[in-house]
Amino acid sequence: MIELQKLLKGDRRSLAKAITLVESSRSEDSVEAQKLLEKILPNTGKSIRLGITGVPGVGKSTFIENFGLYLINNGHKVAVLAIDPSSPISGGSILGDKTRMENLSQNEKAFIRPSPSLGFLGGVAQKTRETILLCEAAGFDYVLIETVGVGQSEFEVADMVDFFLVLMLPNAGDELQGIKKGILELADAVIINKADGDILPQANLTLAQYSSAMELMRHNPHWKARVLSCSALLKKNLDTIYSMIEEYKETTAVSGYFEKKRLAQNQEWFKKLINELIEQKILQNKDLIKSRHEIESKVVKGEILPLKAAQEYLNLILKSF
Ligand SMILES: Nc1nc2c(ncn2[C@@H]2O[C@H](COP(=O)(O)OP(=O)(O)OP(=O)(O)O)[C@@H](O)[C@H]2O)c(=O)[nH]1
Ligand SMILES: [Mg+2]
């Protein structure tokens, strides 16, 4: 049982338990999770949701550790959620994060939740939206969502946050950084990290290049994306990043864009949920899975065309509902 009052007071153990409940794929858990989410709903929405992406090694964990502590020093409570579909590729970054975010994870005004278990159907981000709501109900007013800039996860994250930060290495050229063009279009800010020591001149050059590249990009009429540099390691320029985000909060609240964007995201969430729920329902039905395999093997053998096969399968699904 989740103790609601404790959760609302910000008890981190209750929050962790609640997230586990929401992430659970057992159907009896999902009923309980739904009830819990309904109860906490009035206490949600009051945070700024911040997405953070960048290639492995750019300094995401270092940034989150030091920026998170900076936020706490400014009176905030910080939740960190990690979406990492690429752990096998980037080589166990979760283990590394435990040591890299040591100070933050020990701070009682912070809550750090590593990636949900891999391989769960429907993508890693499936329960992240609910998890954000739980963190907000527990009083965390900055929710940081980290994702490695490979695969599709950063697009998914951009779609569930208020402000999307793209961290870059101080060497120019998108190819080099493996950053997809589309990601820069989604960025509310591009931050050149590691602007320190010997690489500072290079960081400044990269900053100038990205500034002009971003000028050419399509602009969001409500917010013009910024290009900044920082040193996450030496905690340089974190104050500028903080003021920028606070400025975003204020100006978009006044223009109404903040709320408008969230409502549009809810609409997208609703559409995705419909597909997910249908898929779940099908997967819970053993007969349907069996028929699917049978029809599929006919397709593979060339005995039936895909469209006809799909229609046949759809009929079976409709009959089973
Ligand atoms: N000089 C310098 N080094 C940094 C800075 N930020 C991070 N680093 C170093 O860069 C390396 C990678 O940093 P991480 O924070 O682990 O990077 P990450 O993006 O979380 O990497 P993954 O978790 O593998 O995706 C570490 O050795 C950090 O100490 C910085 O601002 N300046
Ligand atoms: Mg990391």
Side-chain angles (χ1 to χ4, degrees), residues 53-60 167-170 177 191 193-194 232:
T53 194
V55 293
V58 69
K60 296 179 294 297
L167 295 187
M168 291 283 187
L169 288 167
Q177 307 212 13
I191 296 180
N193 189 34
K194 307 198 186 185

Side-chain angles (χ1 to χ4, degrees), residues 194-253:
K194 307 198 186 185
D196 54 42
D198 293 345
I199 34 180
L200 184 60
Q202 212 180 346
N204 287 333
L205 185 67
T206 309
L207 179 77
Q209 284 173 333
Y210 273 104
S211 301
S212 44
M214 294 297 281
E215 279 298 325
L216 301 173
M217 214 102 66
R218 199 162 15 115
H219 288 156
N220 174 350
H222 301 277
W223 176 259
K224 187 164 184 271
R226 309 267 171 92
V227 185
L228 301 170
S229 65
C230 81
S231 168
L233 192 66
L234 303 183
K235 306 174 197 171
K236 275 203 262 174
N237 232 9
L238 300 183
D239 49 351
T240 315
I241 296 171
Y242 176 63
S243 338
M244 169 184 64
I245 295 166
E246 289 291 311
E247 183 192 329
Y248 177 88
K249 240 167 57 177
E250 280 166 32
T251 56
T252 59

Side-chain angles (χ1 to χ4, degrees), residues 6-235:
K6 277 174 111 179
L7 172 66
L8 295 178
K9 282 204 182 106
D11 178 57
R12 290 187 293 174
R13 281 176 75 101
S14 306
L15 176 58
K17 270 166 79 180
I19 296 173
T20 305
L21 178 74
V22 160
E23 283 175 353
S24 165
S25 53
R26 292 169 53 197
S27 54
E28 58 273 33
D29 284 346
S30 82
V31 174
E32 212 193 308
Q34 221 46 52
K35 278 190 203 151
L36 177 68
L37 287 167
E38 270 163 38
K39 280 189 208 146
I40 60 144
L41 209 60
N43 301 290
T44 62
K46 290 179 201 97
S47 79
I48 176 120
R49 305 164 183 168
L50 199 63
I52 296 163
T53 194
V55 293
V58 69
K60 296 179 294 297
S61 304
T62 311
F63 178 81
I64 290 169
E65 158 98 343
N66 286 331
F67 190 61
L69 290 167
Y70 180 92
L71 292 171
I72 288 170
N73 286 335
N74 278 276
H76 298 287
K77 282 182 72 185
V78 179
V80 180
L81 312 175
I83 296 184
D84 190 0
S86 66
S87 319
I89 303 168
S90 65
S93 60
I94 297 168
L95 218 146
D97 280 351
K98 275 191 185 147
T99 52
R100 268 170 224 153
M101 295 193 206
E102 203 177 0
N103 293 323
L104 189 62
S105 59
Q106 279 168 13
N107 194 299
E108 61 178 39
K109 293 201 166 135
F111 175 81
I112 299 181
R113 180 81 177 187
S115 315
S117 53
L118 293 169
F120 186 74
L121 178 109
V124 268
Q126 203 186 23
K127 299 293 188 208
T128 307
R129 287 184 172 86
E130 282 97 334
T131 304
I132 295 172
L133 298 177
L134 289 170
C135 292
E136 290 174 346
F140 291 90
D141 63 346
Y142 259 81
V143 181
L144 275 47
I145 302 155
E146 177 193 357
T147 180
V148 178
V150 288
Q152 282 299 307
S153 62
E154 67 270 46
F155 292 95
E156 286 181 52
V157 169
D159 213 27
M160 58 177 88
V161 296
D162 304 310
F163 196 94
F164 193 57
L165 270 176
V166 180
L167 295 187
M168 291 283 187
L169 288 167
N171 45 20
D174 293 350
E175 292 78 7
L176 215 73
Q177 307 212 13
I179 277 284
K180 293 156 216 123
K181 274 278 182 320
I183 277 303
L184 287 180
E185 276 176 19
L186 295 174
D188 294 301
V190 173
I191 296 180
I192 320 294
N193 189 34
K194 307 198 186 185
D196 54 42
D198 293 345
I199 34 180
L200 184 60
Q202 212 180 346
N204 287 333
L205 185 67
T206 309
L207 179 77
Q209 284 173 333
Y210 273 104
S211 301
S212 44
M214 294 297 281
E215 279 298 325
L216 301 173
M217 214 102 66
R218 199 162 15 115
H219 288 156
N220 174 350
H222 301 277
W223 176 259
K224 187 164 184 271
R226 309 267 171 92
V227 185
L228 301 170
S229 65
C230 81
S231 168
L233 192 66
L234 303 183
K235 306 174 197 171

Side-chain angles (χ1 to χ4, degrees), residues 287 289-299 301:
D287 291 339
I289 296 176
K290 195 164 158 259
S291 330
R292 187 187 159 135
H293 286 310
E294 285 163 8
I295 300 177
E296 199 171 312
S297 75
K298 283 194 208 162
V299 174
K301 284 185 209 141

